[in-house]
Amino acid sequence: NTTQHNTTQHSTTMITTTMTTTQSKLSSKLSSISIASKHRRMILWLSLLLSILSAQLKQCHAHQVVCTYQRGHIQSLDEHGNVQENVTHACVLRDGTTFTLLPALLQQIDQQLTSQRTQLSLNDILVKNDIIVQAKLGVVIEGFDFLTDVPATGTKSLLLVRVIATSPTDDITISPRVSQTKLTTNFFRNDDYMYAPQETTFAQQMNDCSAGQLNFIPGHNDNGVVDLQVSMALKDVKMTPTIAGELVNAFANTIADPDDYNHLLFCLPFGMTEYFVAFAVDNSNLSFFQDPWCQYLTAGMHEVGHNYFLAHSNDETRGAYKDHTCVMGASFSMERGPRMCFNGQKLWALNWYSDKRTTVDPVQNGPWNGQLAAFVDHANIPSNSLTQVVIIQVGNLYLVYNRGKSYNAEVIEKRNLVTIVRATDTDKSILQSQSSMMAGLNAEQGSNTFTRTITTASGTTTQITIEICSVVDGGNYDFAELSITAAGQDSMCDITNQAPLDPSQSEGQCSDSVCYDIPCCQDSQCFNGRCRARNQTPQDKENMKLGRSKCRGGGANGCDNNGRRRARQRGLRGETHSVDNAEQQTTNQTILPKV
């Protein structure tokens, strides 16, 4: 049965079929007929009629439909246990009825679609098996700015829904094996004595990884878990957007409005297609898991990441999902662990640590030298510093110090290395772009340098070099000292490793944010709490190396008595001082005021 309505441009055509009901009734009739010889002909005719009805009732036509575009990710395992994923495109009607859209149909639209926001107008539609196989598409309402409208910050209600499904044909019921108590414990409670102190929960880990900016609380009740009874045949069934839509409608009809919760995680019973893992909808509150994956920490973080528009984290050489420094790579079948977070590109895209990150453009601003602190130590570095940060963006590259401690203690790969990932989808926003792991660097010779041609923030294409000068762990915060240069610029590591300008000064006398009247604090001259010599230009540096002057003349900005070029320092009041280490005790007693 198909109901058709000619509608105006902004109305919705309601398409309903009774195929499932008809099949159930006919199956019931068939099962009640005795298999006597006199009935065999009748059974054959009824079987033929059922086949014809099934084919016809799964196909329907409509002139026009207005629906909401929905993009999702179905994650599964192949026969070898490798993660694979299919991107789904769907059309959701106002009543929640969901049809899959063939990707080829979307080629009619030459603009980027926003999941859950873009309204599509479909004309001359042909639907087969809940799939729109033919239609003329147009955009009625365009998308929106995700970061502005739905930021990954604040307090979010989360409700886990255990789906208990009873088949309407054979009354077989299947349900998740994981209990409500287990789900509550794994997602919200960290006070269970059975677990080691270092283990975490979903809510705690998301709060830690976001620097306290994203806080999940139980929805609906104190436990944050409810059971949903549905009359659906889910055994050996392949997950589709249509099944997801039916589950959401069942929830709305029996429990509550789905929009009352920031996140709904459906825990489906084990027994669907063997390798189905999870399904999440971009820019929505919906995700679906097959038991036991609904109880695993990184699986939950991965799918909720899709809700916030995040794409996958890959590896440049090993391929899809192989960035194991980030939960947007492969998920792990482990409760309350492993404790790990997102890579630099994802942290930047989510706008976390926004006051402790910087964009480096060595072409426009010259070589960069500073401290890349471990993001787990973010609370111990100053805000809005240009040289003490936890995330660095250089063109489409993103750097973090992947320190393996605290809430990142169990990160799977590249632990205690500076990791470099690149955003790979240049035609998409940073939120929707996939990332690719490029390298992990340490301070050892041969493993401390990365070079690549990129386009900088100023639009210049150049070869940049990222070099780890040193790694300092065990202090107030752990960090790697970096040099970032463009083609033709000398490494800043030689400057970093020079002796302090005044070796007698003690630790803590200067910092990038507080200068204490010591003139070296300008232009990142403070290093580990002590002033260091400044080589402002490659020419200055070369003159120092040669030990003789290539500068011109004398004076405050010229040559000293030993034929070396003087380095110039500026104090808080703007005075200009000449610095000559060999003569400072006899000829320049006043240039370094003591604290």
Side-chain angles (χ1 to χ4, degrees), residues 15-17 19-20 58 70 72 74 88-93 95-102 127-132 230 232-234 237-251 266 268 272 279 281 286 288:
I15 302 174
T16 61
T17 68
M19 180 203 64
T20 303
K58 285 188 177 182
Q70 185 186 85
I74 294 181
T88 64
H89 306 276
C91 177
V92 184
L93 305 184
D95 68 343
T97 304
T98 304
F99 297 99
T100 297
L101 278 168
L102 288 182
V127 178
K128 291 184 179 180
N129 299 321
D130 299 319
I131 300 175
I132 298 177
V230 296
M232 294 176 63
L234 293 182
V237 171
K238 181 180 180 181
M239 186 64 183
T240 66
T242 298
I243 291 178
E246 292 176 0
L247 290 170
V248 173
N249 280 343
F251 179 89
F266 289 80
L268 303 177
M272 300 181 69
F279 170 57
V281 178
L286 303 174
F288 306 81

Side-chain angles (χ1 to χ4, degrees), residues 75-77 81-85 277-278 293 296-303 306 311-315 318-334 337-338 340-343 346 410-413 434-435 437:
Q75 187 178 118
S76 59
L77 302 176
N82 298 315
V83 178
Q84 58 185 11
E85 182 171 292
V277 173
W293 288 92
Y296 296 151
L297 174 64
T298 54
M301 295 175 70
H302 181 108
E303 302 308 328
H306 283 314
H312 287 128
S313 298
N314 310 316
D315 186 89
R318 295 180 298 171
Y321 310 102
K322 297 299 185 181
D323 178 3
H324 297 322
T325 70
C326 179
V327 296
M328 295 311 294
S331 300
F332 301 94
S333 54
M334 178 178 175
M340 56 187 292
C341 291
F342 301 85
N343 66 27
K346 304 300 191 261
E410 296 170 322
V411 61
I412 303 299
E413 287 184 347
Q434 297 190 60
S435 64
M437 174 60 67

Side-chain angles (χ1 to χ4, degrees), residues 350-413:
L350 291 166
N351 208 34
W352 297 340
Y353 309 95
S354 57
D355 61 337
K356 296 177 181 180
R357 67 186 195 184
T358 190
T359 297
V360 172
D361 187 342
V363 173
Q364 185 173 32
N365 302 317
W368 186 88
N369 177 219
Q371 298 173 0
L372 179 62
F375 61 84
V376 295
D377 289 333
H378 66 91
N380 298 328
I381 69 169
S383 298
N384 303 312
S385 168
L386 297 180
T387 55
Q388 290 172 295
V389 294
V390 299
I391 317 173
I392 297 174
Q393 179 193 46
V394 191
N396 66 339
L397 302 179
Y398 297 85
L399 287 66
V400 295
Y401 180 25
N402 190 40
R403 188 75 168 98
K405 68 176 189 179
S406 185
Y407 53 87
N408 197 48
E410 296 170 322
V411 61
I412 303 299
E413 287 184 347

